[in-house]
Amino acid sequence: MPINQKLEQTMENIIAAIIFAVLTAAGTLGVSSMGMFVFYRDPEDRDAEQRNRFEYGFFGLAGIVVMLLMWYAL
């Protein structure tokens, strides 16, 4: 196997590993943020609770979308 072909195959594996790492990180953050969206409660300040739940929902959805895009890229 020529050197160029080995190098090309190695670079494909590195790119796939980076995409997989982004997929895993985005999926973990997305699912944990969606969990915080569902379970977060602040009985003392309802306004702050709504702001935080909105942020958790946005980041959860964004993380899941990024995860799905990386899955498609693989």
Side-chain angles (χ1 to χ4, degrees):
M1 182 180 279
I3 296 290
N4 290 342
Q5 198 173 23
K6 277 186 171 182
L7 182 62
E8 187 175 307
Q9 186 179 18
T10 303
M11 291 305 290
E12 287 178 10
N13 290 342
I14 288 172
I15 291 170
I18 291 170
I19 290 173
F20 181 76
V22 171
L23 181 148
T24 305
T28 302
L29 291 173
V31 169
S32 63
S33 291
M34 290 305 283
M36 286 297 291
F37 171 76
V38 171
F39 296 117
Y40 181 75
R41 299 285 182 261
D42 187 4
E44 295 173 5
D45 191 359
R46 297 287 293 170
D47 189 41
E49 177 184 349
Q50 289 301 319
R51 279 194 313 267
N52 288 336
R53 289 191 75 204
F54 181 79
E55 287 179 14
Y56 290 138
F58 174 78
F59 286 123
L61 186 61
I64 290 173
V65 167
V66 169
M67 179 191 73
L68 292 174
L69 286 172
M70 293 299 111
W71 189 11
Y72 182 74
L74 280 178

